[in-house]
Amino acid sequence: MKRVYMDANATTPLLPEVLDAMRPYFIEHFGNASSIHQQGQQARAAVEQARESVAALINCRAAEIVFTSGGTESDNLALFGLVQPGDHLITSSIEHHAVLHAAEKLRERGIEVTFLPVSGDGVINPQDLRRAIQDNTKLISIMMANNETGAIQPVSEIGRIAAEADIYFHTDAVQAAGKLPIDVQSLRCDLLSISGHKMHAPQGTGILYVRKGTQLEPLFFGGSHERQRRAGTENLPGIVGLGKAAEIARVALTDGTVEKIAALRNRLEQGILSQVEDTGVNGGSVRRVPNTTNIYFDNLEGEALVIALDLKGLCTSGGSACASGAAEPSHVLSAMALAQPRARASLRFSLTKLSTDEDVDFALEVIPVAASRLRELAPVNAGTLG
Ligand code: PLP
């Protein structure tokens, strides 16, 4: 059966070039990057090469890159590494749970936390941020692009506000890396998270950019790896894969790939809106990453549509991967003040650079049929939509 994957924001497939780059580091060049013999030195050279490649993607020094196990660890390292009881942290209500739940845990430990609201289109207002700043504000953590809607946050302005107020700024760029150009110098951020598996590197890889001079308490204690910022033997093949994926992502930002993905996304979105009644785009009027659209299909259950589409061979998602299956509607759509039935009737379609015109044709074939069948079989009362 034909299968079409439109869930890139959950994870992306490894690119063959990435696997080829990684392959020798499993068996042939298996060394521990801390060993002084040749096997170790080879491993060290490969790790440092990957560090350069990732640094080039975000315009920082290689020494400012800390390899981690992924976006979740990077976010946790940024937050737990910087704030102490008595400090104030500002974040937003639409962050990934890796930031939200970390912030909630910090609050239990005596850190003051402000969760900024968002507009109906899912964007933070920098004026709200300015108003939230206190004398003890130590860190601002605002994502670059939202994983559910793709909405791009005003991070340049936030970086400027943070720098003027002399407050650390962390941005979760997990859903932006490879989709938007990232320059930590113009952004003026101090910390930035990236996850490998959202950009065609292996799952379980990631980085935290840590601006030189930022005093960060590590999460793990052990060896002096990663300049004492992250103890533990480096994941050599994973890091090599992440480096390769960063090189490929950097090229894709300028060779028309990103524009191609945006054109496919736009055709998919317009096709759904014109072929399926009572649909609309959540956060459709703001700048979004090129691969993502979040669409509500009023009068049906989103989870049921995800399953119906899966049975037809189309992979989509009814919220963030971690939240799907939970009865609660997405916290992001709720923060955007969507009525609960509409939030529950929303699907995320996220394309990869491997997506094709045929994939969009296929989606536009199966979605209208599945949506109308579900509406006939199990109508959801439109009166409750509000
Ligand atoms: N931050 C955002 C915005 C994400 O979308 C995700 C994953 O969905 C994460 C963090 C967590 O990344 P990882 O899966 O690498 O732990």
Side-chain angles (χ1 to χ4, degrees):
M1 184 174 126
K2 183 181 170 77
R3 288 210 70 84
V4 168
Y5 187 78
M6 292 196 175
D7 201 12
N9 291 9
T11 198
T12 57
L14 208 65
L15 292 174
E17 306 92 296
V18 173
L19 180 59
D20 286 346
M22 292 170 66
R23 217 187 293 271
Y25 294 93
F26 286 105
I27 295 177
E28 212 181 323
H29 306 310
F30 59 88
N32 182 325
S34 301
S35 302
I36 53 173
H37 49 62
Q38 276 195 20
Q39 283 291 33
Q41 284 178 30
Q42 267 175 353
R44 170 58 52 208
V47 167
E48 297 315 317
Q49 174 57 50
R51 206 184 298 280
E52 296 280 351
S53 300
V54 178
L57 183 67
I58 60 172
N59 190 27
C60 69
R61 291 173 237 213
E64 294 172 312
I65 298 289
V66 178
F67 286 112
T68 67
S69 65
T72 300
E73 186 189 328
S74 299
D75 287 345
N76 275 266
L77 178 55
L79 269 64
F80 284 93
L82 209 60
V83 295
Q84 305 286 332
D87 289 339
H88 175 226
L89 162 70
I90 302 176
T91 184
S92 84
S93 49
I94 59 157
E95 299 298 312
H96 189 269
H97 285 137
V99 168
L100 272 187
H101 290 168
E104 280 157 13
K105 182 53 74 178
L106 285 167
R107 188 156 60 177
E108 285 173 25
R109 294 184 184 172
I111 284 111
E112 266 186 273
V113 184
T114 301
F115 296 94
L116 297 178
V118 289
S119 68
D121 271 318
V123 177
I124 283 128
N125 179 348
Q127 295 316 321
D128 288 339
L129 171 66
R130 270 186 209 282
R131 276 191 291 272
I133 291 174
Q134 307 176 174
D135 288 345
N136 61 340
T137 307
K138 177 82 174 280
L139 175 66
I140 295 167
S141 178
I142 302 287
M143 69 198 330
M144 192 172 288
N146 183 262
N147 42 305
E148 295 193 32
T149 63
I152 298 170
Q153 303 303 318
V155 279
S156 296
E157 201 168 340
I158 293 168
R160 205 162 44 241
I161 294 169
E164 280 164 16
D166 201 15
I167 297 167
Y168 288 106
F169 174 35
H170 164 247
T171 187
D172 174 337
V174 166
Q175 294 294 347
K179 302 172 190 168
L180 300 174
I182 300 176
D183 179 341
V184 294
Q185 309 311 332
S186 61
L187 258 184
R188 300 169 83 175
C189 64
D190 303 289
L191 300 147
L192 180 142
S193 307
I194 292 180
S195 169
H197 73 107
K198 312 289 184 176
M199 46 178 268
H200 302 282
Q203 296 173 349
T205 62
I207 63 105
L208 181 67
Y209 156 74
V210 183
R211 185 177 290 279
K212 187 169 183 245
T214 308
Q215 293 300 320
L216 207 63
E217 186 71 15
L219 290 180
F220 305 154
F221 296 89
S224 56
H225 310 87
E226 298 296 297
R227 293 184 168 75
Q228 309 201 332
R229 294 167 300 191
R230 203 271 187 182
T233 301
E234 294 88 344
N235 168 4
L236 176 61
I239 287 172
V240 169
L242 181 50
K244 186 68 185 173
E247 287 168 21
I248 295 170
R250 201 166 155 229
V251 173
L253 288 170
T254 54
D255 72 354
T257 303
V258 164
E259 289 74 11
K260 186 205 93 175
I261 298 172
L264 289 175
R265 187 272 311 268
N266 294 346
R267 190 162 77 79
L268 173 72
E269 188 171 281
Q270 279 145 24
I272 294 173
L273 297 194
S274 64
Q275 290 181 48
V276 188
E277 278 177 16
D278 300 325
T279 51
V281 180
N282 296 316
S285 62
V286 293
R287 277 181 63 226
R288 291 174 293 162
V289 285
N291 77 320
T292 308
T293 182
N294 192 305
I295 298 184
Y296 64 81
F297 296 77
D298 281 346
N299 314 329
L300 56 71
E301 276 298 334
E303 286 292 324
L305 184 55
V306 170
I307 293 165
L309 294 175
D310 186 42
L311 291 172
K312 294 283 174 206
L314 180 65
C315 300
T316 64
S317 153
S320 71
C322 334
S324 73
E328 288 296 298
S330 131
H331 69 279
V332 175
L333 300 180
S334 300
M336 291 161 64
L338 257 76
Q340 294 221 347
R342 179 168 280 181
R344 272 203 291 268
S346 295
L347 259 67
R348 177 183 73 188
F349 302 85
S350 49
L351 308 185
T352 78
K353 68 170 72 170
L354 306 174
S355 299
T356 62
D357 262 315
E358 292 70 41
D359 290 350
V360 172
D361 292 342
F362 178 75
L364 291 177
E365 215 177 282
V366 297
I367 293 167
V369 179
S372 71
R373 195 157 298 162
L374 274 178
R375 281 172 173 164
E376 279 163 25
L377 284 176
V380 175
N381 184 3
T384 60
L385 288 173

